[in-house]
Amino acid sequence: MRPTVLCFSGLDPSGGAGLQADIEAIGQSGAHAAIACTALTIQNSQQVFGFEATSKQLLLAQANAVVGDLPIKAVKSGMLGTTDNIAALADFLREHPDYLYVLDPVLVANSGGSLGNQETLVKAFVELIPLATVITPNTVELRALTGEDNIEQATQKLFEMGAQAVLVKGGHEDTPDYIRNALYVNGEMITESKCPRLAGEYHGSGCSLASFIAGRLALGDQLKIAVQHAETWLFGVLKNAETPIEGGQKIPKRF
Ligand code: PLP
């Protein structure tokens, strides 16, 4: 059986982000996706209307049901919804130190809607940071996690908080023509990439990138190679993204 990535992520009914993005991206990476669902959200491609989080007992029961059943090589987390779920995932990861772990520190939806109480989530994420093989914040999340405005200082602060590797995604920075991402390992930038900025807003681009990285890591890629594969793949699926009827955020075409 293909190496499996166990995703802790929420349901987005639009199919653009969340667990559907994870399943599609991981499938495209060549790995198999398993899901422990953290929350059911109510949203479309334009806005989030609300969500109901899974209890930590139910979340861990889902995850534990597939441990030993599937060849899990990596864990990926996206929307976790509550501090209880963050603590439960931290316990789960400490029980399975051999799993690679991609932490996408989701705080709000790309459309701007709340996916949890940002202040308490930020405090709880501190426990997950040292457990991650790589953390994939956009610059809004990076600033929120560290309280630092300057990107370089914020990245270094994340390493002081125990991070092993950080992929800083520049999609929210004011670079009208391009997006620059930079991969840091142990405080040092080891590679950066620039791609042309595509017009419009995309629903689930962060989920897709982090999941593809997790899939490639599960298959044995080195981190730098996994990130390069994922960035190339993401650019293609965003270029082919489809526009919803009411003109909401574009939905990446991952097949
Ligand atoms: N997870 C869920 C369930 C979501 O609904 C969203 C955004 O709507 C995200 C994660 C983060 O999505 P993005 O990849 O657009 O940052």
Side-chain angles (χ1 to χ4, degrees), residues 203-226:
H203 201 59
S205 51
C207 307
S208 303
L209 185 74
S211 281
F212 198 97
I213 293 170
R216 292 309 312 178
L217 290 176
L219 286 157
D221 277 2
Q222 292 299 310
L223 177 60
K224 182 176 158 183
I225 303 295

Side-chain angles (χ1 to χ4, degrees), residues 10-12 17-18 41 43 79 106 109-110 115 202-207:
L11 176 84
D12 164 12
T41 75
Q43 66 179 304
M79 175 191 182
V106 173
N110 252 347
L115 296 174
Y202 298 83
H203 201 59
S205 51
C207 307

Side-chain angles (χ1 to χ4, degrees), residues 50-209:
F51 71 88
E52 195 166 310
T54 307
S55 70
K56 69 177 182 197
Q57 291 81 2
L58 181 53
L59 182 63
L60 285 177
Q62 293 175 74
N64 287 326
V66 293
V67 169
D69 182 52
L70 300 174
I72 298 170
K73 293 280 179 283
V75 167
K76 181 255 169 183
S77 66
M79 175 191 182
L80 289 161
T82 61
T83 56
D84 266 6
N85 282 350
I86 293 178
L89 172 57
D91 286 343
F92 179 82
L93 289 165
R94 280 189 287 259
E95 277 169 32
H96 302 283
D98 49 324
Y99 293 167
L100 301 163
Y101 170 43
V102 179
L103 165 56
D104 188 20
V106 173
L107 292 170
V108 291
N110 252 347
S111 56
S114 168
L115 296 174
N117 179 321
Q118 173 150 342
E119 210 176 305
T120 56
L121 290 181
V122 161
K123 285 191 189 133
F125 270 132
V126 167
E127 202 183 352
L128 288 177
I129 287 169
L131 299 172
T133 310
V134 62
I135 309 171
T136 60
N138 60 42
T139 52
V140 176
E141 293 159 345
L142 181 63
R143 289 184 173 109
L145 286 174
T146 60
E148 294 281 350
D149 193 45
N150 176 282
I151 295 303
E152 187 59 37
Q153 283 170 10
T155 307
Q156 293 311 324
K157 176 95 180 273
L158 216 46
F159 283 102
E160 285 162 25
M161 293 162 77
Q164 299 167 44
V166 182
L167 176 65
V168 180
K169 301 177 299 188
H172 290 76
E173 293 302 281
D174 186 19
T175 52
D177 301 328
Y178 65 88
I179 290 177
R180 174 184 175 273
N181 293 346
L183 176 65
Y184 291 75
V185 176
N186 296 327
E188 302 232 343
M189 193 182 80
I190 60 160
T191 182
E192 65 180 324
S193 71
K194 267 189 189 172
C195 70
R197 184 180 286 277
L198 297 166
E201 297 285 326
Y202 298 83
H203 201 59
S205 51
C207 307
S208 303
L209 185 74

